PDB file of all heavy atoms in Angstrom:
ATOM      1  N   GLU I1046      91.735  93.593  94.280  1.00 87.00           N
ATOM      2  CA  GLU I1046      92.378  94.838  94.678  1.00 87.00           C
ATOM      3  C   GLU I1046      93.832  94.553  95.032  1.00 87.00           C
ATOM      4  O   GLU I1046      94.139  93.577  95.701  1.00 87.00           O
ATOM      5  CB  GLU I1046      91.642  95.431  95.873  1.00 87.00           C
ATOM      6  CG  GLU I1046      91.988  96.876  96.122  1.00 87.00           C
ATOM      7  CD  GLU I1046      91.049  97.500  97.132  1.00 87.00           C
ATOM      8  OE1 GLU I1046      89.821  97.308  97.004  1.00 87.00           O
ATOM      9  OE2 GLU I1046      91.556  98.161  98.041  1.00 87.00           O
ATOM     10  N   THR I1047      94.740  95.420  94.581  1.00 86.00           N
ATOM     11  CA  THR I1047      96.159  95.230  94.882  1.00 86.00           C
ATOM     12  C   THR I1047      96.549  96.029  96.117  1.00 86.00           C
ATOM     13  O   THR I1047      96.034  97.108  96.366  1.00 86.00           O
ATOM     14  CB  THR I1047      97.051  95.633  93.695  1.00 86.00           C
ATOM     15  OG1 THR I1047      96.794  96.988  93.355  1.00 86.00           O
ATOM     16  CG2 THR I1047      96.812  94.739  92.492  1.00 86.00           C
ATOM     17  N   SER I1048      97.513  95.478  96.854  1.00 90.00           N
ATOM     18  CA  SER I1048      97.988  96.129  98.074  1.00 90.00           C
ATOM     19  C   SER I1048      99.098  97.119  97.744  1.00 90.00           C
ATOM     20  O   SER I1048      99.624  97.145  96.625  1.00 90.00           O
ATOM     21  CB  SER I1048      98.513  95.080  99.049  1.00 90.00           C
ATOM     22  OG  SER I1048      99.698  94.493  98.532  1.00 90.00           O
ATOM     23  N   ALA I1049      99.490  97.901  98.727  1.00 91.00           N
ATOM     24  CA  ALA I1049     100.595  98.854  98.557  1.00 91.00           C
ATOM     25  C   ALA I1049     101.891  98.115  98.237  1.00 91.00           C
ATOM     26  O   ALA I1049     102.691  98.583  97.419  1.00 91.00           O
ATOM     27  CB  ALA I1049     100.760  99.696  99.820  1.00 91.00           C
ATOM     28  N   GLU I1050     102.097  96.963  98.870  1.00 90.00           N
ATOM     29  CA  GLU I1050     103.305  96.168  98.597  1.00 90.00           C
ATOM     30  C   GLU I1050     103.323  95.669  97.154  1.00 90.00           C
ATOM     31  O   GLU I1050     104.370  95.658  96.502  1.00 90.00           O
ATOM     32  CB  GLU I1050     103.391  94.960  99.549  1.00 90.00           C
ATOM     33  CG  GLU I1050     103.561  95.313 101.005  1.00 90.00           C
ATOM     34  CD  GLU I1050     102.229  95.516 101.738  1.00 90.00           C
ATOM     35  OE1 GLU I1050     101.156  95.288 101.128  1.00 90.00           O
ATOM     36  OE2 GLU I1050     102.272  95.920 102.906  1.00 90.00           O
ATOM     37  N   GLN I1051     102.167  95.278  96.645  1.00 92.00           N
ATOM     38  CA  GLN I1051     102.085  94.816  95.264  1.00 92.00           C
ATOM     39  C   GLN I1051     102.340  95.951  94.279  1.00 92.00           C
ATOM     40  O   GLN I1051     103.003  95.760  93.263  1.00 92.00           O
ATOM     41  CB  GLN I1051     100.726  94.154  95.005  1.00 92.00           C
ATOM     42  CG  GLN I1051     100.602  92.816  95.713  1.00 92.00           C
ATOM     43  CD  GLN I1051      99.210  92.241  95.638  1.00 92.00           C
ATOM     44  OE1 GLN I1051      98.220  92.951  95.873  1.00 92.00           O
ATOM     45  NE2 GLN I1051      99.112  90.960  95.338  1.00 92.00           N
ATOM     46  N   GLU I1052     101.823  97.137  94.588  1.00 92.00           N
ATOM     47  CA  GLU I1052     102.060  98.296  93.729  1.00 92.00           C
ATOM     48  C   GLU I1052     103.547  98.656  93.707  1.00 92.00           C
ATOM     49  O   GLU I1052     104.119  98.958  92.655  1.00 92.00           O
ATOM     50  CB  GLU I1052     101.218  99.493  94.187  1.00 92.00           C
ATOM     51  CG  GLU I1052      99.733  99.322  93.968  1.00 92.00           C
ATOM     52  CD  GLU I1052      99.350  99.175  92.503  1.00 92.00           C
ATOM     53  OE1 GLU I1052     100.009  99.788  91.631  1.00 92.00           O
ATOM     54  OE2 GLU I1052      98.394  98.439  92.229  1.00 92.00           O
ATOM     55  N   ALA I1053     104.185  98.640  94.887  1.00 92.00           N
ATOM     56  CA  ALA I1053     105.618  98.950  94.966  1.00 92.00           C
ATOM     57  C   ALA I1053     106.431  97.938  94.173  1.00 92.00           C
ATOM     58  O   ALA I1053     107.374  98.298  93.454  1.00 92.00           O
ATOM     59  CB  ALA I1053     106.072  98.980  96.423  1.00 92.00           C
ATOM     60  N   LEU I1054     106.070  96.665  94.275  1.00 91.00           N
ATOM     61  CA  LEU I1054     106.777  95.618  93.528  1.00 91.00           C
ATOM     62  C   LEU I1054     106.602  95.820  92.026  1.00 91.00           C
ATOM     63  O   LEU I1054     107.564  95.702  91.263  1.00 91.00           O
ATOM     64  CB  LEU I1054     106.272  94.240  93.947  1.00 91.00           C
ATOM     65  CG  LEU I1054     106.965  93.059  93.284  1.00 91.00           C
ATOM     66  CD1 LEU I1054     108.434  92.999  93.667  1.00 91.00           C
ATOM     67  CD2 LEU I1054     106.260  91.770  93.656  1.00 91.00           C
ATOM     68  N   THR I1055     105.408  96.169  91.601  1.00 91.00           N
ATOM     69  CA  THR I1055     105.146  96.412  90.177  1.00 91.00           C
ATOM     70  C   THR I1055     106.010  97.559  89.658  1.00 91.00           C
ATOM     71  O   THR I1055     106.572  97.470  88.559  1.00 91.00           O
ATOM     72  CB  THR I1055     103.646  96.719  89.960  1.00 91.00           C
ATOM     73  OG1 THR I1055     102.880  95.597  90.398  1.00 91.00           O
ATOM     74  CG2 THR I1055     103.350  97.002  88.498  1.00 91.00           C
ATOM     75  N   GLU I1056     106.156  98.614  90.444  1.00 93.00           N
ATOM     76  CA  GLU I1056     107.011  99.738  90.039  1.00 93.00           C
ATOM     77  C   GLU I1056     108.470  99.312  89.916  1.00 93.00           C
ATOM     78  O   GLU I1056     109.169  99.706  88.972  1.00 93.00           O
ATOM     79  CB  GLU I1056     106.875 100.890  91.041  1.00 93.00           C
ATOM     80  CG  GLU I1056     105.547 101.603  90.966  1.00 93.00           C
ATOM     81  CD  GLU I1056     105.420 102.703  92.022  1.00 93.00           C
ATOM     82  OE1 GLU I1056     106.447 103.244  92.460  1.00 93.00           O
ATOM     83  OE2 GLU I1056     104.270 103.005  92.399  1.00 93.00           O
ATOM     84  N   THR I1057     108.943  98.504  90.848  1.00 92.00           N
ATOM     85  CA  THR I1057     110.334  98.039  90.798  1.00 92.00           C
ATOM     86  C   THR I1057     110.552  97.133  89.596  1.00 92.00           C
ATOM     87  O   THR I1057     111.604  97.190  88.954  1.00 92.00           O
ATOM     88  CB  THR I1057     110.709  97.311  92.106  1.00 92.00           C
ATOM     89  OG1 THR I1057     110.547  98.223  93.189  1.00 92.00           O
ATOM     90  CG2 THR I1057     112.145  96.835  92.076  1.00 92.00           C
ATOM     91  N   VAL I1058     109.573  96.296  89.263  1.00 91.00           N
ATOM     92  CA  VAL I1058     109.672  95.448  88.076  1.00 91.00           C
ATOM     93  C   VAL I1058     109.860  96.321  86.838  1.00 91.00           C
ATOM     94  O   VAL I1058     110.726  96.052  85.999  1.00 91.00           O
ATOM     95  CB  VAL I1058     108.424  94.540  87.926  1.00 91.00           C
ATOM     96  CG1 VAL I1058     108.367  93.906  86.549  1.00 91.00           C
ATOM     97  CG2 VAL I1058     108.422  93.463  89.002  1.00 91.00           C
ATOM     98  N   SER I1059     109.084  97.384  86.730  1.00 91.00           N
ATOM     99  CA  SER I1059     109.205  98.291  85.584  1.00 91.00           C
ATOM    100  C   SER I1059     110.572  98.965  85.543  1.00 91.00           C
ATOM    101  O   SER I1059     111.179  99.089  84.483  1.00 91.00           O
ATOM    102  CB  SER I1059     108.109  99.349  85.627  1.00 91.00           C
ATOM    103  OG  SER I1059     106.850  98.749  85.472  1.00 91.00           O
ATOM    104  N   GLU I1060     111.058  99.388  86.702  1.00 92.00           N
ATOM    105  CA  GLU I1060     112.382 100.019  86.758  1.00 92.00           C
ATOM    106  C   GLU I1060     113.479  99.039  86.366  1.00 92.00           C
ATOM    107  O   GLU I1060     114.371  99.369  85.591  1.00 92.00           O
ATOM    108  CB  GLU I1060     112.674 100.541  88.164  1.00 92.00           C
ATOM    109  CG  GLU I1060     111.993 101.845  88.503  1.00 92.00           C
ATOM    110  CD  GLU I1060     112.431 102.328  89.882  1.00 92.00           C
ATOM    111  OE1 GLU I1060     113.630 102.640  90.047  1.00 92.00           O
ATOM    112  OE2 GLU I1060     111.575 102.378  90.781  1.00 92.00           O
ATOM    113  N   LEU I1061     113.405  97.829  86.920  1.00 90.00           N
ATOM    114  CA  LEU I1061     114.425  96.828  86.628  1.00 90.00           C
ATOM    115  C   LEU I1061     114.374  96.396  85.167  1.00 90.00           C
ATOM    116  O   LEU I1061     115.402  96.085  84.575  1.00 90.00           O
ATOM    117  CB  LEU I1061     114.260  95.623  87.557  1.00 90.00           C
ATOM    118  CG  LEU I1061     115.362  94.564  87.542  1.00 90.00           C
ATOM    119  CD1 LEU I1061     116.729  95.178  87.801  1.00 90.00           C
ATOM    120  CD2 LEU I1061     115.061  93.480  88.569  1.00 90.00           C
ATOM    121  N   ALA I1062     113.200  96.416  84.583  1.00 88.00           N
ATOM    122  CA  ALA I1062     113.075  96.085  83.160  1.00 88.00           C
ATOM    123  C   ALA I1062     113.846  97.084  82.298  1.00 88.00           C
ATOM    124  O   ALA I1062     114.386  96.726  81.262  1.00 88.00           O
ATOM    125  CB  ALA I1062     111.610  96.060  82.751  1.00 88.00           C
ATOM    126  N   GLY I1063     113.912  98.334  82.739  1.00 89.00           N
ATOM    127  CA  GLY I1063     114.645  99.363  82.008  1.00 89.00           C
ATOM    128  C   GLY I1063     116.149  99.228  82.128  1.00 89.00           C
ATOM    129  O   GLY I1063     116.883  99.651  81.240  1.00 89.00           O
ATOM    130  N   THR I1064     116.608  98.646  83.218  1.00 88.00           N
ATOM    131  CA  THR I1064     118.046  98.437  83.446  1.00 88.00           C
ATOM    132  C   THR I1064     118.245  97.054  84.054  1.00 88.00           C
ATOM    133  O   THR I1064     118.518  96.922  85.251  1.00 88.00           O
ATOM    134  CB  THR I1064     118.636  99.511  84.375  1.00 88.00           C
ATOM    135  OG1 THR I1064     117.871  99.547  85.583  1.00 88.00           O
ATOM    136  CG2 THR I1064     118.652 100.874  83.734  1.00 88.00           C
ATOM    137  N   PRO I1065     118.097  95.990  83.248  1.00 81.00           N
ATOM    138  CA  PRO I1065     118.089  94.632  83.776  1.00 81.00           C
ATOM    139  C   PRO I1065     119.362  94.193  84.501  1.00 81.00           C
ATOM    140  O   PRO I1065     119.315  93.296  85.320  1.00 81.00           O
ATOM    141  CB  PRO I1065     117.830  93.753  82.560  1.00 81.00           C
ATOM    142  CG  PRO I1065     118.039  94.605  81.385  1.00 81.00           C
ATOM    143  CD  PRO I1065     117.905  96.025  81.812  1.00 81.00           C
ATOM    144  N   GLY I1066     120.484  94.817  84.254  1.00 85.00           N
ATOM    145  CA  GLY I1066     121.715  94.419  84.916  1.00 85.00           C
ATOM    146  C   GLY I1066     121.983  95.143  86.218  1.00 85.00           C
ATOM    147  O   GLY I1066     123.028  94.940  86.838  1.00 85.00           O
ATOM    148  N   ASP I1067     121.065  95.968  86.669  1.00 90.00           N
ATOM    149  CA  ASP I1067     121.274  96.794  87.853  1.00 90.00           C
ATOM    150  C   ASP I1067     121.158  95.961  89.123  1.00 90.00           C
ATOM    151  O   ASP I1067     120.066  95.573  89.539  1.00 90.00           O
ATOM    152  CB  ASP I1067     120.249  97.927  87.869  1.00 90.00           C
ATOM    153  CG  ASP I1067     120.531  98.976  88.920  1.00 90.00           C
ATOM    154  OD1 ASP I1067     121.004  98.616  90.025  1.00 90.00           O
ATOM    155  OD2 ASP I1067     120.268 100.161  88.654  1.00 90.00           O
ATOM    156  N   ALA I1068     122.294  95.679  89.757  1.00 91.00           N
ATOM    157  CA  ALA I1068     122.329  94.848  90.964  1.00 91.00           C
ATOM    158  C   ALA I1068     121.595  95.515  92.130  1.00 91.00           C
ATOM    159  O   ALA I1068     120.996  94.828  92.961  1.00 91.00           O
ATOM    160  CB  ALA I1068     123.771  94.545  91.353  1.00 91.00           C
ATOM    161  N   ASP I1069     121.644  96.840  92.190  1.00 93.00           N
ATOM    162  CA  ASP I1069     120.952  97.549  93.270  1.00 93.00           C
ATOM    163  C   ASP I1069     119.435  97.373  93.160  1.00 93.00           C
ATOM    164  O   ASP I1069     118.747  97.144  94.156  1.00 93.00           O
ATOM    165  CB  ASP I1069     121.310  99.031  93.274  1.00 93.00           C
ATOM    166  CG  ASP I1069     122.761  99.278  93.658  1.00 93.00           C
ATOM    167  OD1 ASP I1069     123.332  98.446  94.390  1.00 93.00           O
ATOM    168  OD2 ASP I1069     123.314 100.300  93.220  1.00 93.00           O
ATOM    169  N   LEU I1070     118.910  97.491  91.939  1.00 91.00           N
ATOM    170  CA  LEU I1070     117.469  97.293  91.752  1.00 91.00           C
ATOM    171  C   LEU I1070     117.078  95.841  92.005  1.00 91.00           C
ATOM    172  O   LEU I1070     115.990  95.573  92.521  1.00 91.00           O
ATOM    173  CB  LEU I1070     117.040  97.721  90.350  1.00 91.00           C
ATOM    174  CG  LEU I1070     116.866  99.223  90.149  1.00 91.00           C
ATOM    175  CD1 LEU I1070     116.562  99.544  88.690  1.00 91.00           C
ATOM    176  CD2 LEU I1070     115.778  99.776  91.055  1.00 91.00           C
ATOM    177  N   ALA I1071     117.947  94.888  91.660  1.00 91.00           N
ATOM    178  CA  ALA I1071     117.669  93.483  91.951  1.00 91.00           C
ATOM    179  C   ALA I1071     117.579  93.273  93.469  1.00 91.00           C
ATOM    180  O   ALA I1071     116.737  92.516  93.945  1.00 91.00           O
ATOM    181  CB  ALA I1071     118.733  92.583  91.347  1.00 91.00           C
ATOM    182  N   ALA I1072     118.433  93.971  94.221  1.00 93.00           N
ATOM    183  CA  ALA I1072     118.379  93.890  95.685  1.00 93.00           C
ATOM    184  C   ALA I1072     117.082  94.508  96.205  1.00 93.00           C
ATOM    185  O   ALA I1072     116.454  93.971  97.133  1.00 93.00           O
ATOM    186  CB  ALA I1072     119.587  94.579  96.298  1.00 93.00           C
ATOM    187  N   VAL I1073     116.668  95.620  95.619  1.00 93.00           N
ATOM    188  CA  VAL I1073     115.400  96.254  96.001  1.00 93.00           C
ATOM    189  C   VAL I1073     114.250  95.287  95.718  1.00 93.00           C
ATOM    190  O   VAL I1073     113.334  95.139  96.536  1.00 93.00           O
ATOM    191  CB  VAL I1073     115.195  97.593  95.256  1.00 93.00           C
ATOM    192  CG1 VAL I1073     113.784  98.119  95.445  1.00 93.00           C
ATOM    193  CG2 VAL I1073     116.212  98.617  95.721  1.00 93.00           C
ATOM    194  N   LEU I1074     114.308  94.618  94.574  1.00 92.00           N
ATOM    195  CA  LEU I1074     113.275  93.633  94.216  1.00 92.00           C
ATOM    196  C   LEU I1074     113.196  92.542  95.279  1.00 92.00           C
ATOM    197  O   LEU I1074     112.108  92.177  95.725  1.00 92.00           O
ATOM    198  CB  LEU I1074     113.570  93.031  92.842  1.00 92.00           C
ATOM    199  CG  LEU I1074     112.576  91.988  92.354  1.00 92.00           C
ATOM    200  CD1 LEU I1074     111.268  92.658  91.959  1.00 92.00           C
ATOM    201  CD2 LEU I1074     113.151  91.212  91.181  1.00 92.00           C
ATOM    202  N   ARG I1075     114.345  92.031  95.706  1.00 93.00           N
ATOM    203  CA  ARG I1075     114.383  90.978  96.727  1.00 93.00           C
ATOM    204  C   ARG I1075     113.746  91.459  98.036  1.00 93.00           C
ATOM    205  O   ARG I1075     112.939  90.755  98.647  1.00 93.00           O
ATOM    206  CB  ARG I1075     115.810  90.502  96.958  1.00 93.00           C
ATOM    207  CG  ARG I1075     115.925  89.357  97.939  1.00 93.00           C
ATOM    208  CD  ARG I1075     117.331  88.829  98.112  1.00 93.00           C
ATOM    209  NE  ARG I1075     118.256  89.856  98.536  1.00 93.00           N
ATOM    210  CZ  ARG I1075     119.198  90.408  97.749  1.00 93.00           C
ATOM    211  NH1 ARG I1075     119.338  90.029  96.493  1.00 93.00           N
ATOM    212  NH2 ARG I1075     120.007  91.335  98.221  1.00 93.00           N
ATOM    213  N   VAL I1076     114.081  92.682  98.439  1.00 94.00           N
ATOM    214  CA  VAL I1076     113.509  93.246  99.674  1.00 94.00           C
ATOM    215  C   VAL I1076     111.998  93.406  99.532  1.00 94.00           C
ATOM    216  O   VAL I1076     111.239  93.087 100.455  1.00 94.00           O
ATOM    217  CB  VAL I1076     114.179  94.595 100.021  1.00 94.00           C
ATOM    218  CG1 VAL I1076     113.442  95.317 101.133  1.00 94.00           C
ATOM    219  CG2 VAL I1076     115.642  94.369 100.403  1.00 94.00           C
ATOM    220  N   GLN I1077     111.544  93.874  98.392  1.00 93.00           N
ATOM    221  CA  GLN I1077     110.107  94.068  98.197  1.00 93.00           C
ATOM    222  C   GLN I1077     109.361  92.738  98.141  1.00 93.00           C
ATOM    223  O   GLN I1077     108.234  92.636  98.630  1.00 93.00           O
ATOM    224  CB  GLN I1077     109.840  94.919  96.959  1.00 93.00           C
ATOM    225  CG  GLN I1077     110.210  96.366  97.216  1.00 93.00           C
ATOM    226  CD  GLN I1077     109.903  97.261  96.039  1.00 93.00           C
ATOM    227  OE1 GLN I1077     109.931  96.827  94.897  1.00 93.00           O
ATOM    228  NE2 GLN I1077     109.626  98.509  96.329  1.00 93.00           N
ATOM    229  N   ILE I1078     109.986  91.722  97.551  1.00 93.00           N
ATOM    230  CA  ILE I1078     109.374  90.393  97.556  1.00 93.00           C
ATOM    231  C   ILE I1078     109.236  89.906  98.997  1.00 93.00           C
ATOM    232  O   ILE I1078     108.193  89.391  99.402  1.00 93.00           O
ATOM    233  CB  ILE I1078     110.192  89.398  96.704  1.00 93.00           C
ATOM    234  CG1 ILE I1078     110.051  89.727  95.214  1.00 93.00           C
ATOM    235  CG2 ILE I1078     109.762  87.960  96.975  1.00 93.00           C
ATOM    236  CD1 ILE I1078     110.964  88.928  94.300  1.00 93.00           C
ATOM    237  N   ARG I1079     110.286  90.099  99.783  1.00 94.00           N
ATOM    238  CA  ARG I1079     110.256  89.681 101.191  1.00 94.00           C
ATOM    239  C   ARG I1079     109.158  90.434 101.954  1.00 94.00           C
ATOM    240  O   ARG I1079     108.389  89.837 102.701  1.00 94.00           O
ATOM    241  CB  ARG I1079     111.617  89.911 101.839  1.00 94.00           C
ATOM    242  CG  ARG I1079     111.682  89.394 103.270  1.00 94.00           C
ATOM    243  CD  ARG I1079     113.030  89.601 103.893  1.00 94.00           C
ATOM    244  NE  ARG I1079     113.254  91.022 104.103  1.00 94.00           N
ATOM    245  CZ  ARG I1079     114.412  91.642 103.903  1.00 94.00           C
ATOM    246  NH1 ARG I1079     115.460  90.981 103.469  1.00 94.00           N
ATOM    247  NH2 ARG I1079     114.535  92.932 104.134  1.00 94.00           N
ATOM    248  N   ARG I1080     109.073  91.745 101.768  1.00 93.00           N
ATOM    249  CA  ARG I1080     108.045  92.546 102.455  1.00 93.00           C
ATOM    250  C   ARG I1080     106.637  92.109 102.059  1.00 93.00           C
ATOM    251  O   ARG I1080     105.747  91.993 102.899  1.00 93.00           O
ATOM    252  CB  ARG I1080     108.226  94.032 102.138  1.00 93.00           C
ATOM    253  CG  ARG I1080     109.374  94.659 102.861  1.00 93.00           C
ATOM    254  CD  ARG I1080     109.480  96.122 102.534  1.00 93.00           C
ATOM    255  NE  ARG I1080     110.647  96.699 103.199  1.00 93.00           N
ATOM    256  CZ  ARG I1080     111.218  97.815 102.835  1.00 93.00           C
ATOM    257  NH1 ARG I1080     110.747  98.521 101.826  1.00 93.00           N
ATOM    258  NH2 ARG I1080     112.279  98.265 103.486  1.00 93.00           N
ATOM    259  N   LEU I1081     106.445  91.874 100.782  1.00 93.00           N
ATOM    260  CA  LEU I1081     105.134  91.475 100.299  1.00 93.00           C
ATOM    261  C   LEU I1081     104.738  90.127 100.891  1.00 93.00           C
ATOM    262  O   LEU I1081     103.612  89.949 101.367  1.00 93.00           O
ATOM    263  CB  LEU I1081     105.141  91.405  98.768  1.00 93.00           C
ATOM    264  CG  LEU I1081     103.766  91.220  98.131  1.00 93.00           C
ATOM    265  CD1 LEU I1081     103.699  91.990  96.837  1.00 93.00           C
ATOM    266  CD2 LEU I1081     103.472  89.765  97.882  1.00 93.00           C
ATOM    267  N   MET I1082     105.673  89.179 100.905  1.00 93.00           N
ATOM    268  CA  MET I1082     105.342  87.856 101.436  1.00 93.00           C
ATOM    269  C   MET I1082     105.158  87.883 102.949  1.00 93.00           C
ATOM    270  O   MET I1082     104.396  87.086 103.493  1.00 93.00           O
ATOM    271  CB  MET I1082     106.395  86.836 101.019  1.00 93.00           C
ATOM    272  CG  MET I1082     106.324  86.529  99.529  1.00 93.00           C
ATOM    273  SD  MET I1082     107.360  85.159  99.002  1.00 93.00           S
ATOM    274  CE  MET I1082     108.975  85.698  99.513  1.00 93.00           C
ATOM    275  N   THR I1083     105.831  88.797 103.638  1.00 94.00           N
ATOM    276  CA  THR I1083     105.625  88.950 105.075  1.00 94.00           C
ATOM    277  C   THR I1083     104.228  89.512 105.334  1.00 94.00           C
ATOM    278  O   THR I1083     103.521  89.070 106.246  1.00 94.00           O
ATOM    279  CB  THR I1083     106.699  89.881 105.682  1.00 94.00           C
ATOM    280  OG1 THR I1083     107.986  89.291 105.464  1.00 94.00           O
ATOM    281  CG2 THR I1083     106.485  90.080 107.166  1.00 94.00           C
ATOM    282  N   ALA I1084     103.816  90.476 104.520  1.00 93.00           N
ATOM    283  CA  ALA I1084     102.491  91.085 104.665  1.00 93.00           C
ATOM    284  C   ALA I1084     101.372  90.156 104.195  1.00 93.00           C
ATOM    285  O   ALA I1084     100.237  90.275 104.647  1.00 93.00           O
ATOM    286  CB  ALA I1084     102.436  92.398 103.891  1.00 93.00           C
TER     287      ALA I1084
END
């Protein structure tokens, strides 16, 4: 079973895949990785 943090990270991966050069989404990815690892 996946957690809410894992689902959020999966969504961000999909978004970043659509715009790979987006620095803002890369920052969101970093924050979500941090949140997931904290949880």
Side-chain angles (χ1 to χ4, degrees):
E1046 196 169 314
T1047 58
S1048 68
E1050 295 88 5
Q1051 289 172 314
E1052 291 298 326
L1054 182 64
T1055 300
E1056 289 177 26
T1057 300
V1058 167
S1059 295
E1060 282 184 65
L1061 189 54
T1064 54
D1067 190 324
D1069 292 333
L1070 281 175
V1073 169
L1074 180 73
R1075 183 177 57 253
V1076 170
Q1077 287 183 330
I1078 289 172
R1079 185 179 69 220
R1080 285 181 183 160
L1081 190 144
M1082 290 189 302
T1083 299

